[in-house]
Amino acid sequence: MEQFKSFVEKHPKLIEHVRNRKESWQPYYEKWLLYGEEDEYWDDFKEDGQRSATKEKRANNQELFQKLSNMMNNMDMNKLQDQMNQLNGVISNVQSLIQQFQQQNSGSDWSQGAQQHRPDPFKFGKD
């Protein structure tokens, strides 16, 4: 109910409309529940600045959807499938390298020996 109240506050012409015609809020509340706040039905009750902003937002959304649609139509699915297969191969190679390094580090004394012979990283610049 609080959401509907804040919605009504954003639409002052709706308040005037209901008061002038002495109507109930119930049908508008039901329409708000069914249509939502962004439906074109509410454009008549918005201020002029809000109305133009809503139209601009819808135009931008339609333009974005049209661009995405055009991009999908122009996409070659065979090339996309080839690229996905290449990416899958790269990921598999990286995973196998990681597994090899993990096996080397966990199963051998190499890691302990390398740590013993490693120079101190903080001894640089000392004479």
Side-chain angles (χ1 to χ4, degrees), residues 46-97:
K46 289 183 179 179
E47 296 291 332
D48 293 335
Q50 290 177 325
R51 196 177 302 164
S52 64
T54 303
K55 287 181 182 179
E56 184 177 321
K57 184 179 176 182
R58 283 193 187 125
N60 288 339
N61 287 344
Q62 288 175 347
E63 182 180 334
L64 177 64
F65 181 74
Q66 187 175 8
K67 284 181 181 179
L68 287 173
S69 177
N70 289 340
M71 195 170 79
M72 291 297 291
N73 288 337
N74 294 334
M75 192 179 297
D76 184 4
M77 290 300 172
N78 291 330
K79 285 183 181 179
L80 180 63
Q81 183 66 37
D82 291 342
Q83 290 175 351
M84 294 299 286
N85 288 335
Q86 288 176 354
L87 181 62
N88 191 25
V90 169
I91 291 172
S92 296
N93 289 337
V94 170
Q95 285 176 335
S96 66
L97 284 172

Side-chain angles (χ1 to χ4, degrees), residues 14-75:
L14 179 61
I15 298 171
E16 291 176 24
H17 178 79
V18 171
R19 287 182 182 165
N20 290 340
R21 295 187 183 203
K22 298 179 183 175
E23 294 179 337
S24 167
W25 284 103
Q26 186 65 33
Y28 296 101
Y29 177 72
E30 290 172 1
K31 288 177 184 177
W32 177 77
L33 286 175
L34 290 174
Y35 300 148
E37 292 186 19
E38 300 298 323
D39 192 72
E40 292 178 6
Y41 177 80
W42 304 114
D43 287 349
D44 294 337
F45 302 108
K46 289 183 179 179
E47 296 291 332
D48 293 335
Q50 290 177 325
R51 196 177 302 164
S52 64
T54 303
K55 287 181 182 179
E56 184 177 321
K57 184 179 176 182
R58 283 193 187 125
N60 288 339
N61 287 344
Q62 288 175 347
E63 182 180 334
L64 177 64
F65 181 74
Q66 187 175 8
K67 284 181 181 179
L68 287 173
S69 177
N70 289 340
M71 195 170 79
M72 291 297 291
N73 288 337
N74 294 334
M75 192 179 297

